[in-house]
Coordinates of all heavy atoms in Angstrom, one line a residue:
T1 N 0.9 -1.2 0.0 CA 0.0 0.0 0.0 C 0.9 1.2 0.0 O 1.9 1.3 0.8 CB -0.9 0.1 1.3 OG1 -1.8 -1.1 1.1 CG2 -1.7 1.4 1.2
F2 N 0.5 2.2 -0.8 CA 1.3 3.4 -0.9 C 1.0 4.3 0.3 O 1.8 4.4 1.3 CB 1.1 4.2 -2.2 CG 1.9 5.5 -2.3 CD1 3.3 5.4 -2.5 CD2 1.4 6.6 -2.3 CE1 4.1 6.6 -2.6 CE2 2.1 7.7 -2.4 CZ 3.5 7.7 -2.5
C3 N -0.3 4.9 0.4 CA -0.6 5.6 1.5 C -2.1 6.0 1.3 O -2.6 6.3 0.3 CB 0.2 7.0 1.5 SG -0.4 8.2 2.8
A4 N -2.8 5.7 2.5 CA -4.3 6.0 2.6 C -4.6 7.4 2.9 O -5.8 7.7 3.2 CB -5.0 5.1 3.6
G5 N -3.5 8.3 3.0 CA -3.9 9.7 3.3 C -3.8 10.1 4.7 O -2.9 9.5 5.3
M6 N -4.4 11.0 5.1 CA -4.3 11.4 6.6 C -4.9 10.6 7.5 O -6.0 10.0 7.2 CB -4.9 12.9 6.7 CG -4.8 13.6 8.1 SD -5.6 15.2 8.1 CE -7.3 14.9 7.7
D7 N -4.3 10.2 8.5 CA -4.8 9.5 9.6 C -5.9 10.2 10.3 O -5.6 11.1 11.2 CB -3.7 8.9 10.6 CG -4.2 7.9 11.6 OD1 -5.3 7.9 12.0 OD2 -3.3 7.0 12.0
L8 N -7.2 9.9 10.2 CA -8.2 10.7 10.8 C -8.2 10.5 12.3 O -8.5 11.5 13.0 CB -9.5 10.2 10.0 CG -9.6 10.6 8.6 CD1 -11.0 10.1 8.0 CD2 -9.5 12.0 8.3
K9 N -7.9 9.3 12.7 CA -7.9 9.2 14.2 C -6.8 9.9 14.8 O -7.0 10.6 15.9 CB -7.6 7.6 14.5 CG -8.8 6.7 14.2 CD -8.6 5.3 14.5 CE -9.8 4.4 14.0 NZ -9.4 3.0 14.3
A10 N -5.6 10.0 14.2 CA -4.5 10.9 14.8 C -5.0 12.3 14.8 O -4.7 13.1 15.7 CB -3.4 10.6 13.9
A11 N -5.6 12.8 13.6 CA -6.1 14.2 13.4 C -7.0 14.5 14.5 O -7.1 15.6 15.2 CB -6.6 14.4 12.2
A12 N -8.0 13.5 14.9 CA -9.0 13.8 15.9 C -8.3 13.8 17.3 O -8.9 14.5 18.1 CB -10.0 12.6 15.8
R13 N -7.1 13.2 17.5 CA -6.4 13.3 18.7 C -5.7 14.7 18.7 O -4.9 14.9 19.8 CB -5.4 12.2 19.0 CG -6.1 10.8 19.1 CD -5.1 9.8 19.5 NE -4.0 9.6 18.5 CZ -4.1 8.7 17.5 NH1 -5.1 7.9 17.6 NH2 -2.9 8.5 16.8
G14 N -5.6 15.5 17.8 CA -4.9 16.7 17.8 C -3.6 16.7 17.3 O -2.9 17.6 17.3
E15 N -3.2 15.5 16.6 CA -1.8 15.3 16.1 C -1.6 16.3 14.9 O -2.6 16.4 14.0 CB -1.5 14.0 15.7 CG -1.4 12.9 17.0 CD -0.8 11.6 16.5 OE1 -0.2 11.5 15.3 OE2 -1.0 10.6 17.2
Q16 N -0.5 16.9 14.7 CA -0.1 17.7 13.6 C 0.4 16.9 12.4 O 1.5 16.3 12.6 CB 0.9 18.8 14.0 CG 0.2 19.9 14.9 CD -0.9 20.7 14.2 OE1 -0.8 21.1 13.2 NE2 -1.9 20.8 15.0
V17 N -0.2 16.9 11.3 CA 0.1 16.1 10.0 C 0.8 17.0 9.0 O 1.0 16.6 8.0 CB -0.9 15.3 9.5 CG1 -1.3 14.1 10.6 CG2 -2.1 16.1 9.2
T18 N 1.0 18.2 9.5 CA 1.7 19.2 8.5 C 3.0 19.6 9.4 O 3.2 19.6 10.5 CB 1.0 20.4 8.3 OG1 0.6 21.1 9.5 CG2 -0.5 20.0 7.7
V19 N 4.0 20.0 8.4 CA 5.3 20.4 9.1 C 5.6 21.8 8.6 O 5.3 22.1 7.3 CB 6.4 19.5 8.6 CG1 7.7 19.9 9.0 CG2 6.2 18.2 9.2
P20 N 5.8 22.8 9.5 CA 6.1 24.1 9.0 C 7.1 24.2 7.8 O 8.2 23.6 7.9 CB 6.6 24.8 10.2 CG 6.1 24.1 11.4 CD 6.0 22.6 10.9
G21 N 6.7 25.0 6.9 CA 7.6 25.0 5.7 C 7.5 23.9 4.7 O 8.0 24.2 3.5
K22 N 6.9 22.8 5.0 CA 6.9 21.7 4.2 C 5.6 21.2 3.9 O 5.3 20.4 3.1 CB 7.8 20.4 4.7 CG 9.3 20.9 4.7 CD 10.0 19.7 5.1 CE 11.4 19.8 5.0 NZ 12.1 20.8 5.9
G23 N 4.6 21.6 4.8 CA 3.1 21.3 4.5 C 2.7 19.9 4.9 O 3.4 19.3 5.7
F24 N 1.5 19.5 4.4 CA 1.0 18.0 4.7 C 2.1 17.1 4.6 O 2.8 17.1 3.4 CB -0.1 17.7 4.0 CG -0.6 16.4 4.2 CD1 -1.2 15.9 5.3 CD2 -0.5 15.4 3.0 CE1 -1.7 14.6 5.4 CE2 -0.8 14.1 3.3 CZ -1.5 13.7 4.4
A25 N 2.2 16.1 5.5 CA 3.2 15.0 5.5 C 4.7 15.3 5.3 O 5.5 14.6 4.9 CB 2.7 14.0 4.2
G26 N 5.0 16.6 5.6 CA 6.4 17.1 5.6 C 6.9 17.1 4.0 O 8.2 17.1 3.9

């Protein structure tokens, strides 16, 4: 599997899936 996108459970826990200057998934 390549990638199913953003982990919605992690996002719901408040995890940051963006990185400053690099955006989503770094």
Side-chain angles (χ1 to χ4, degrees):
T1 295
F2 184 67
C3 177
M6 180 174 64
D7 187 328
L8 297 178
K9 293 181 180 178
R13 292 193 298 268
E15 291 190 22
Q16 291 296 317
V17 294
T18 62
V19 175
K22 293 184 173 67
F24 171 73

